[in-house]
Amino acid sequence: MRKAFVQFAIALILHTNLSAQISEYIYPNSGSPSFSNYGTTGLIQMPSARFYEEGTIGFTWSHLDPYLRGSIMAYPFNWFEASYQYADVNNWLYSPYKDFSGNQSYKDKSFSTKFRLLKESKYIPSVAVGFRDLGGTGLFASEYLVFSKFLGNIDFTAGMGWGVISNNSISNPLAKIDERFDDRLVNSVSGKGTQGGEFNISSFFSGKEAGLFAGAEIFIPKAKGIRVKLEYDATDYTKEGYLPVEQSSDFNFNLTYPITKNFQIKLGYIRGNTLNFGFSYTGSYGKKDPFIKKNDPPKTVPNAAAFRRVNAREPRNLYISSLKYLGESKLYLQSADLNGSEYSVAFSQNTHVSYARAAGRVARILDQIAPESVETFKITNLNAEMPLFTTKIDRKNFKKYESLNLHSALLESSEIYKISNEEYRGHKYQPPSDIPKVLSKISPAVRSQIGGPDGFYFGDVSVAWHNEILLAENFSILAIANFGIVDNFDDLKLASDSIIPHVRTDIVKYLKQSKKGRVSRLQANYFIKPRDNIYLKFTGGLIEEMFGGLGAEFLWRPFTKNYAIGTELWRVQQRDYDMLFSFRDYMTTTGFINYYYAEPRSKIMLKVTGGRFLAGDSGIHIDISRRFKSGFRVGVFASKTDISKLEFGEGSFDKGFYFHLPIEVFYPNYSKGVAGFGLRPLTRDGAAILVHGHHLYGVTDQSSYMNIFRDWDDIYD
């Protein structure tokens, strides 16, 4: 068998004269990779060296007795895959104690990554290295090196694995280089696992044996994208999980059918004795208008020539026309000033994610209604009455480059800078304010509690009533009330076992006692820009679901730089479990120094936070994310504080991931709303951060030259 494997691997790498691109064949819905049972692109049980394009999010679910496994995958880059798995291990109880576990099976959470080392070319296969169960209990811990190559309509894969992927074994070749690879350290609680969450780097690629695996994914022509998978499995089922699983064969078989480009189902026969079925869904959200092309063109002013003539008589006519027609495009004029051939306007908006697009639409309307004597438009974007950036556009060039969308040429002749508060407030025309006003919307809301001895899933569905009351342009009250519809929290009983202040782990009490109705937030915010590049926010009220109090935030954000520094300080008290207006006895002071760095080429955003957390522990929190052209953002975070692993409890330290998806990707019209999803493997009290609304870094997102330049190609949209 090993001889056959070596021959296969040599043929895979050297017989490149047979290679052909899959695009040369007619295989509908078969251009994307498929997923293994472990939540990574791959064959059936084994991984491959395939990746989705950057900006892709995927979900897979599979049933292979004794495991039910759900996975979420993210691709921040086309060479990096990250996945989070949640496995129901139904041949083992939740804990060694029957009275505690009841009939609830063990739940395992794990994190996996894969990196592409070489991109496939005519003569070279795709090469990747991966880590399975990287920061979990180690029940499925493995590392692997894998090669994949298309030969005609067949995608061949071969590789070598360590850890659980060590069947079909050979002596570990790395042990011959360095003896430290000879012994593999394993976590141990009842023989396997720990409290989890630790990265056992010393065990990577170690062990006396390594396993060989291979397989092929065969695309069937004229079969609506159906593919057949064959696999030589290197999983050692005596090492995986808590109890050994019977294996009758090293060969696995699978049929995968893409119902659509994004949705696949699969059916397989694994280990020579077990049926396997599952499905997967992927969505690519990184590109501009990834799903639905926008049908939201700039508005045309009727009888524009007549307006230009009338507006040439009196500046006030121009101001009133600007107020009317900008408002009809949801671009709200805050001030205006006609000074010779230069027309300055300041506006606010809550429709466009792209600030350049918003400024471009202002310029389009002004070009239609401004008298011919106006040669320059000076357009200032405001948020919370703070001028964040100004675009100075030559009118003649704006029209000249519009038909061919020559946005780069327009950028060369335009200026992007900041104006002072005094200059904006000195504009001659200040329209009457419609403040106070209330902005409201109603939307569904879901809370979830996954895993635990009480049951696999608990959740509730409520109606959320969002209100923002503007008492002044820079003073608002943000209120969110929820009214429960349905829940299954009655059977949720697991109490906190934390030995530090229960700032988060009393989540069960909060969920159960607030299920009928709650005030999620009642937060007053006051914004000030005392000097150029300096911003302040003062906040008070019911700041989040578990805490209320008072606080302030400071941010220094230079317009032409890609970094910012801020501080925040809060005095808060724990809210009662019903999430209404009463409080518990626990009070604390929490505060941080925040450093932000945006890398312009990769679009990676780094946030480093250091200070005192809600439970009184002190440490550092790191958040790394990437933003895509659509506005989609995906990120990971981790925190480490001065409490011990024993005090922190299961998980060892705080970590998780999230993604923020603009809702406009699903609609033909532009909208500034964002749908967010985040997941941390466990809710613990250590490294808990106050979740307040309207962070200054987000409020001042327009106050960065890099962000305006990033979206400048939207100027004519």
Side-chain angles (χ1 to χ4, degrees):
M1 182 60 68
R2 291 180 194 151
K3 182 178 180 181
F5 174 85
V6 173
Q7 291 173 343
F8 173 85
I10 293 174
L12 170 65
I13 298 173
L14 298 181
H15 284 59
T16 54
N17 59 310
L18 299 177
S19 65
Q21 296 295 325
I22 195 67
S23 58
E24 297 174 9
Y25 298 83
I26 303 176
Y27 303 106
N29 297 326
S30 61
S32 300
S34 56
F35 292 99
S36 73
N37 288 324
Y38 289 88
T40 181
T41 51
L43 294 165
I44 306 169
Q45 295 284 83
M46 297 293 98
S48 70
R50 298 299 174 202
F51 293 78
Y52 273 84
E53 65 179 3
E54 61 186 22
T56 298
I57 291 290
F59 172 79
T60 71
W61 180 90
S62 67
H63 178 219
L64 176 62
D65 194 58
Y67 306 115
L68 291 169
R69 180 178 280 110
S71 305
I72 298 174
M73 296 77 59
Y75 296 83
F77 301 93
N78 56 17
W79 49 263
F80 175 54
E81 174 188 77
S83 64
Y84 175 82
Q85 294 87 40
Y86 194 100
D88 184 335
V89 183
N90 55 45
N91 64 347
W92 192 262
L93 289 178
Y94 189 85
S95 83
Y97 308 102
K98 174 69 176 176
D99 292 341
F100 178 76
S101 300
N103 295 321
Q104 188 63 211
S105 56
Y106 182 77
K107 306 297 188 296
D108 185 75
K109 308 174 185 73
S110 60
F111 179 70
S112 302
T113 60
K114 182 168 65 175
F115 303 86
R116 186 173 64 199
L117 303 180
L118 289 175
K119 186 177 182 180
E120 181 178 8
S121 64
K122 184 176 181 180
Y123 299 104
I124 298 175
S126 179
V127 182
V129 60
F131 304 84
R132 184 185 292 175
D133 199 355
L134 183 63
T137 57
L139 297 182
F140 307 98
S142 311
E143 304 83 49
Y144 55 86
L145 180 68
V146 62
F147 305 81
S148 293
K149 187 77 176 74
F150 264 117
L151 300 178
N153 64 318
I154 304 176
D155 190 13
F156 289 98
T157 289
M160 178 183 296
W162 290 259
V164 170
I165 308 178
S166 60
N167 207 10
N168 316 319
S169 58
I170 61 172
S171 297
N172 185 358
L174 296 178
K176 298 178 181 180
I177 300 174
D178 192 324
E179 62 181 11
R180 69 184 177 87
F181 291 105
D182 195 48
D183 294 318
R184 186 176 184 89
L185 300 176
V186 296
N187 299 326
S188 60
V189 167
S190 301
K192 296 192 177 181
T194 67
Q195 293 189 49
E198 301 174 56
F199 297 101
N200 295 317
I201 298 175
S202 60
S203 69
F204 289 171
F205 304 102
S206 63
K208 296 185 182 300
E209 298 174 337
L212 302 177
F213 61 90
E217 188 168 0
I218 305 169
F219 294 83
I220 308 300
K222 300 180 181 180
K224 297 184 178 180
I226 291 176
R227 59 190 80 175
V228 175
K229 295 184 181 182
L230 311 173
E231 177 183 77
Y232 181 50
D233 189 357
T235 304
D236 188 339
Y237 292 99
T238 66
K239 295 180 180 178
E240 184 181 70
Y242 273 99
L243 295 176
V245 177
E246 182 182 353
Q247 180 183 16
S248 303
S249 172
D250 290 334
F251 291 93
N252 302 325
F253 306 91
N254 170 284
L255 190 69
T256 298
Y257 175 49
I259 294 178
T260 68
K261 181 180 179 181
N262 304 100
F263 185 72
Q264 301 175 352
I265 58 174
K266 62 183 180 182
L267 178 67
Y269 191 61
I270 315 299
R271 303 192 297 256
N273 55 24
T274 307
L275 282 174
N276 164 225
F277 60 92
F279 65 87
S280 65
Y281 177 83
T282 58
S284 181
Y285 303 101
K287 296 179 180 178
K288 184 177 179 179
D289 300 339
F291 286 148
I292 300 176
K293 190 173 182 179
K294 295 296 177 283
N295 185 23
D296 190 5
K299 293 185 180 298
T300 300
V301 177
N303 301 316
F307 275 104
R308 287 195 293 271
R309 290 193 298 270
V310 171
N311 293 339
R313 300 172 187 168
E314 176 66 38
R316 182 170 177 79
N317 295 343
L318 176 59
Y319 301 152
I320 299 300
S321 299
S322 300
L323 179 67
K324 172 179 171 58
Y325 288 106
L326 287 174
E328 289 183 358
S329 294
K330 298 181 180 179
L331 305 163
Y332 303 108
L333 184 71
Q334 303 299 313
S335 67
D337 190 3
L338 180 61
N339 185 7
S341 63
E342 182 177 86
Y343 185 33
S344 300
V345 299
F347 78 102
S348 62
Q349 60 93 22
N350 196 35
T351 300
H352 299 278
V353 175
S354 169
Y355 310 123
R357 184 195 306 124
R361 294 206 167 190
V362 171
R364 281 178 182 267
I365 292 174
L366 298 185
D367 179 55
Q368 295 179 70
I369 64 175
E372 301 296 341
S373 59
V374 174
E375 299 175 357
T376 305
F377 298 130
K378 190 174 176 182
I379 302 167
T380 299
N381 290 53
L382 304 176
N383 195 11
E385 212 178 31
M386 298 183 294
L388 299 179
F389 82 94
T390 296
T391 308
K392 191 173 183 179
I393 297 176
D394 181 86
R395 183 179 187 178
K396 183 184 297 184
N397 287 337
F398 183 80
K399 291 191 291 187
K400 180 170 68 174
Y401 300 135
E402 180 179 0
S403 60
L404 296 176
N405 192 20
L406 298 177
H407 50 80
S408 297
L410 179 65
L411 179 62
E412 291 181 5
S413 64
S414 302
E415 296 179 51
I416 301 174
Y417 58 98
K418 293 179 69 174
I419 66 172
S420 65
N421 290 4
E422 291 73 20
E423 182 176 347
Y424 143 63
R425 289 173 181 148
H427 286 174
K428 296 174 184 176
Y429 178 69
Q430 305 282 339
S433 174
D434 59 351
I435 291 175
K437 64 181 177 180
V438 179
L439 307 174
S440 297
K441 69 175 182 178
I442 296 176
S443 63
V446 177
R447 294 187 298 179
S448 300
Q449 183 78 354
I450 301 175
D454 300 324
F456 174 71
Y457 178 84
F458 292 92
D460 72 349
V461 178
S462 64
V463 174
W465 185 27
H466 298 256
N467 295 275
E468 185 158 13
I469 306 166
L470 298 179
L471 301 177
E473 288 292 345
N474 63 337
F475 180 43
S476 67
I477 298 175
L478 182 62
I480 305 174
N482 295 73
F483 305 93
I485 299 176
V486 63
D487 70 90
N488 65 339
F489 288 150
D490 288 341
D491 294 328
L492 192 56
K493 302 180 181 66
L494 183 63
S496 171
D497 62 352
S498 178
I499 60 176
I500 63 176
H502 293 189
V503 296
R504 295 297 185 208
T505 56
D506 281 338
I507 180 65
V508 169
K509 296 179 180 178
Y510 279 101
L511 291 173
K512 295 182 72 172
Q513 296 188 33
S514 66
K515 63 182 183 179
K516 298 301 181 184
R518 63 189 183 275
V519 178
S520 298
R521 177 168 287 157
L522 185 59
Q523 172 183 323
N525 302 291
Y526 182 65
F527 300 93
I528 303 176
K529 183 185 175 186
R531 295 185 61 185
D532 195 26
N533 300 322
I534 292 178
Y535 307 90
L536 291 170
K537 182 188 79 170
F538 298 94
T539 296
L542 304 179
I543 298 172
E544 54 146 90
E545 292 188 335
M546 295 186 184
F547 282 90
L550 298 170
E553 186 183 4
F554 162 90
L555 180 69
W556 175 63
R557 188 172 190 174
F559 181 68
T560 59
K561 306 297 181 182
N562 59 343
Y563 56 81
I565 299 173
T567 61
E568 54 185 293
L569 183 65
W570 306 90
R571 181 62 177 173
V572 293
Q573 186 169 358
Q574 192 170 33
R575 295 178 62 185
D576 212 344
Y577 301 134
D578 60 7
M579 293 188 190
L580 294 176
F581 299 101
S582 56
F583 290 84
R584 297 175 55 76
D585 293 336
Y586 181 75
M587 298 183 67
T588 188
T589 298
T590 178
F592 300 98
I593 296 175
N594 304 312
Y595 173 75
Y596 307 84
Y597 176 77
E599 206 290 309
R601 294 183 180 178
S602 65
K603 306 299 187 295
I604 286 178
M605 175 70 198
L606 170 67
K607 179 183 178 183
V608 181
T609 294
R612 190 173 191 264
F613 297 87
L614 284 170
D617 50 327
S618 298
I620 191 168
H621 173 91
I622 298 176
D623 185 302
I624 302 173
S625 63
R626 189 184 186 205
R627 185 194 186 277
F628 294 88
K629 180 60 180 173
S630 65
F632 171 60
R633 183 182 295 276
V634 59
V636 296
F637 62 86
S639 305
K640 191 67 176 175
T641 73
D642 56 1
I643 59 175
S644 66
K645 294 177 182 178
L646 176 64
E647 291 173 300
F648 186 89
E650 185 179 358
S652 301
F653 65 96
D654 188 50
K655 63 271 186 185
F657 73 93
Y658 62 90
F659 53 84
H660 296 158
L661 186 63
I663 61 174
E664 70 176 27
V665 303
F666 301 108
Y667 297 99
N669 295 328
Y670 293 110
S671 175
K672 214 174 181 181
V674 175
F677 175 83
L679 193 151
R680 48 173 30 97
L682 293 158
T683 299
R684 306 302 301 174
D685 293 315
I689 294 177
L690 189 73
V691 184
H692 58 98
H694 291 334
H695 285 260
L696 273 180
Y697 194 81
V699 170
T700 63
D701 196 49
Q702 304 171 62
S703 187
S704 166
Y705 178 86
M706 189 178 74
N707 291 348
I708 314 306
F709 180 79
R710 174 195 66 203
D711 295 328
W712 186 259
D713 58 345
D714 297 331
I715 192 75
Y716 286 120
D717 283 0

